[in-house]
Amino acid sequence: MTQTHQAAAKPNVRLILVALMITMMLAMLDNMIVSTALPRIVGEFGGLNHFTWVVTAYILGTTVSTPIWGKLGDLYGRKPVFLSSVGMFLVASALCGMSGSDLLGGPDSGMVQLIAFRAFQGLGAGGLMVGVMAIIGDLVSPRERGRYQGLFAGVMAIAMVAGPLVGGFITDHLSWRWAFYVNLPLGGVALVLLVAALRLPRYRTEHRIDWLGAGLLSVAITAVVLVTTWGSTEYDWLSPQILGLAAVTLLALGAFVLVERRVTEPILPLGLFGNRNFALISVMGFLLGFAMFGAMSFLPLYQQTVQGATATESGLLLLPLMFGMLVVSLVVGRTITRTGRYRVFPIVGGVVMTAGMALLSLLDADTSRTRSGFYMLVLGAGMGFLMQTTMLIAQNSVAQRDLGAASGAATFFRSIGGSFGISLFGAIFANRLARSPAGTAMEGGSGEQGVDPAALNALPTQLREAVLGGLADAISHVFTWAVLFTVAVPVIAWFIREIPLRSSNEPVPATEVDAEPTAVAAADAASVGRPATAEPTTARQP
């Protein structure tokens, strides 16, 4: 395989940064805004038995496409691939907003249309997050990258809180369709800025798309997402349906590994996992997603039931979490840029995050909003140490030519961990609640879907106190389980080797990688066009 490298003209990093931040905000906000609008959508279309697929289809599309987008960026160039994903996301957003309209046949097929368009939207969304991280990796050296990725961690924190607030406002004052249409003007601005200002190094590669590997990986991811989505909700964990999907997952993964070992350009280069830092970060990402997204999904439930907050107030009560994550991520990013040291941060972050989960396990029916806010502040601080530092370590551990695949894999493992966490912690919550006296007092006695804050307020005082106590106990039990996973994060981080952050995007030295160092260094040398392989030429990427 031969490559030539084309250096880009110096880009306007600040302008590009604005466009990338808008794009990441779109990716983060969408699911949160849509979740708020779901009751109105069900009210208009019906289809209560299938409404969860509005969320599941999006998650499925995102998870399946993330590693594929990352690899396509490595092969064809980051800019055209990223613009394609943004365009696909915006077209799908418009189609979602038009679901069930007279133009598309009326409301009778509205729910089916929306689910299909949400899957299409998820396919585009899979390229947004990985594209943003990989482009930053191309534009900025690892030494400077911490400062910029700290800003993006702040964007993620803001989106986590703003999503429910924006979703509630749009649903109440406009229409649920604007939960999708709002993406169009924001995405349009981002597209214009990216087309005008984005100039990246272009890697011309003789390549073949690993379609078989992509197909097998998609089958495996689809099966595992359905397992985590349907397990304990639609079907028992030991039902034929769940066991069959688990078997499909294992078979598809086994075939995927065999294929990836034989193709020239694998969708997910297995050699990356021979690098100790990358392998450790992948495991940490899975655990982070597992504990963080799984357990955090219960905070709004606690606030709206036990603490009696409205949906809007619940979003505001999450501000301490956002503040802790935002401040710490910015400080950590600047510190990494100034010192070039990073190994200590995931260790400290793992400890602080575990402390935050442990504090949240103390929640009960009498916990004040001030105290729970402090608990969330600690958790947010731990997340601030970890969210973008783990991505930085993953990118710094691989050759520049594999940056997209590495970014995609890191995002993928965090997403899969979150899917597992939400499923497992949902089952833990439901089982704990069902065994409590509160379980028999609630419709279905089976957890979150049977909880209606308005109905709780209508209960007799003694019964309401028993129900709220049972809810608080079940939610705190979820955080107790989360501690068992987060405690492993600092232990794993201890074994990360601190490879010096490069001051430019030069190749990873052979002595700084664990697996097949000569081959990695040679591949990286080719990717940046060393004279030994080909003289570099200068051009601007279209």
Side-chain angles (χ1 to χ4, degrees):
M1 180 180 67
T2 62
Q3 290 181 322
T4 61
H5 171 263
Q6 295 177 323
K10 186 175 181 179
N12 187 332
V13 175
R14 290 186 178 180
L15 194 60
I16 296 171
L17 187 68
V18 172
L20 295 180
M21 291 174 74
I22 293 174
T23 306
M24 176 171 278
M25 183 70 76
L26 290 177
M28 294 294 298
L29 278 177
D30 188 80
N31 232 4
M32 298 177 185
I33 292 177
V34 172
S35 296
T36 308
L38 272 179
R40 295 287 178 89
I41 295 173
V42 172
E44 181 170 332
F45 291 153
L48 183 62
N49 294 335
H50 304 292
F51 87 99
T52 55
W53 274 100
V54 175
V55 176
T56 301
Y58 181 86
I59 294 173
L60 192 57
T62 302
T63 310
V64 164
S65 63
T66 293
I68 297 174
W69 282 116
K71 185 60 180 180
L72 290 177
D74 287 338
L75 293 178
Y76 290 105
R78 219 78 69 196
K79 181 177 179 178
V81 170
F82 185 59
L83 292 179
S84 298
S85 69
V86 175
M88 181 183 296
F89 180 83
L90 295 180
V91 170
S93 296
L95 291 173
C96 287
M98 295 167 62
S99 298
S101 64
D102 292 338
L103 187 63
L104 296 182
D108 290 344
S109 59
M111 184 61 75
V112 174
Q113 292 175 11
L114 181 58
I115 291 171
F117 293 148
R118 283 285 283 170
F120 182 42
Q121 189 186 32
L123 292 175
L128 300 186
M129 190 75 73
V130 64
V132 166
M133 291 303 160
I135 288 172
I136 288 295
D138 273 343
L139 287 174
V140 185
S141 70
R143 182 68 178 263
E144 294 290 326
R145 207 174 294 161
R147 177 173 59 185
Y148 291 101
Q149 291 188 338
L151 291 174
F152 283 98
V155 171
M156 295 172 67
I158 293 171
M160 290 167 60
V161 176
L165 297 176
V166 174
F169 178 84
I170 288 175
T171 304
D172 291 338
H173 296 89
L174 297 172
S175 161
W176 66 262
R177 298 182 186 276
W178 278 96
F180 301 103
Y181 291 152
V182 72
N183 295 330
L184 302 181
L186 292 174
V189 171
L191 269 180
V192 170
L193 293 177
L194 290 168
V195 170
L198 185 59
R199 299 290 184 268
L200 294 174
R202 186 173 182 179
Y203 304 95
R204 288 182 177 172
T205 310
E206 294 178 6
H207 50 255
R208 294 180 179 177
I209 298 295
D210 176 23
W211 293 116
L212 180 57
L216 289 170
L217 182 62
S218 299
V219 170
I221 294 172
T222 300
V224 77
V225 169
L226 292 178
V227 167
T228 58
T229 302
W230 286 346
S232 80
T233 56
E234 298 288 333
Y235 306 102
D236 292 334
W237 285 107
L238 298 180
S239 67
Q241 292 86 348
I242 297 300
L243 293 178
L245 286 170
V248 169
T249 301
L250 294 176
L251 290 173
L253 283 177
F256 173 74
V257 170
L258 292 177
V259 169
E260 297 302 276
R261 287 180 173 177
R262 288 169 171 76
V263 296
T264 304
E265 284 288 348
I267 284 291
L268 184 60
L270 300 181
L272 294 178
F273 297 97
N275 181 300
R276 184 173 74 184
N277 277 9
F278 185 83
L280 291 173
I281 286 297
S282 297
V283 177
M284 283 179 59
F286 180 86
L287 292 174
L288 280 174
F290 198 107
M292 185 174 64
F293 294 114
M296 280 179 52
S297 61
F298 289 90
L299 283 174
L301 176 64
Y302 176 80
Q303 293 161 345
Q304 293 181 40
T305 55
V306 180
Q307 293 187 326
T310 65
T312 302
E313 289 172 344
S314 177
L316 295 174
L317 289 173
L318 289 172
L319 284 174
L321 180 76
M322 180 202 75
F323 180 78
M325 184 176 172
L326 175 61
V327 172
V328 172
S329 63
L330 291 175
V331 171
V332 167
R334 292 186 174 275
T335 303
I336 291 174
T337 297
R338 187 177 69 253
T339 66
R341 309 302 294 268
Y342 57 82
R343 178 176 175 267
V344 66
F345 296 118
I347 298 174
V348 173
V351 172
V352 175
M353 185 177 179
T354 301
M357 290 292 187
L359 289 172
L360 288 170
S361 71
L362 303 177
L363 292 174
D364 57 31
D366 299 319
T367 302
S368 67
R369 294 184 179 184
T370 301
R371 185 184 300 176
S372 62
F374 172 73
Y375 295 167
M376 286 185 282
L377 178 68
V378 176
L379 178 63
M383 291 163 57
F385 279 106
L386 287 162
M387 289 296 289
Q388 298 305 313
T389 307
T390 52
M391 179 64 75
L392 174 64
I393 295 172
Q395 292 182 339
N396 192 56
S397 301
V398 303
Q400 191 73 17
R401 66 185 297 272
D402 289 325
L403 193 65
S407 302
T411 306
F412 166 74
F413 281 109
R414 190 178 296 176
S415 176
I416 286 292
S419 181
F420 271 102
I422 291 172
S423 177
L424 178 61
F425 290 143
I428 291 172
F429 170 79
N431 290 334
R432 181 78 171 189
L433 187 62
R435 291 199 300 266
S436 72
T440 58
M442 299 173 62
E443 183 180 353
S446 59
E448 185 177 357
Q449 292 183 345
V451 178
D452 182 357
L456 290 177
N457 292 331
L459 293 174
T461 302
Q462 187 173 0
L463 180 57
R464 182 174 68 251
E465 291 177 353
V467 170
L468 294 180
L471 282 168
D473 175 71
I475 293 171
S476 67
H477 193 62
V478 167
F479 288 108
T480 300
W481 274 87
V483 170
L484 300 179
F485 295 93
T486 57
V487 75
V489 172
V491 176
I492 295 172
W494 183 266
F495 294 97
I496 290 175
R497 187 168 62 187
E498 190 160 58
I499 298 173
L501 293 174
R502 304 184 297 283
S503 297
S504 62
N505 284 334
E506 77 268 9
V508 182
T511 57
E512 292 179 359
V513 294
D514 295 318
E516 299 179 356
T518 304
V520 174
D524 210 3
S527 72
V528 295
R530 285 180 178 171
T533 51
E535 291 292 341
T537 58
T538 301
R540 287 168 36 144
Q541 181 178 2

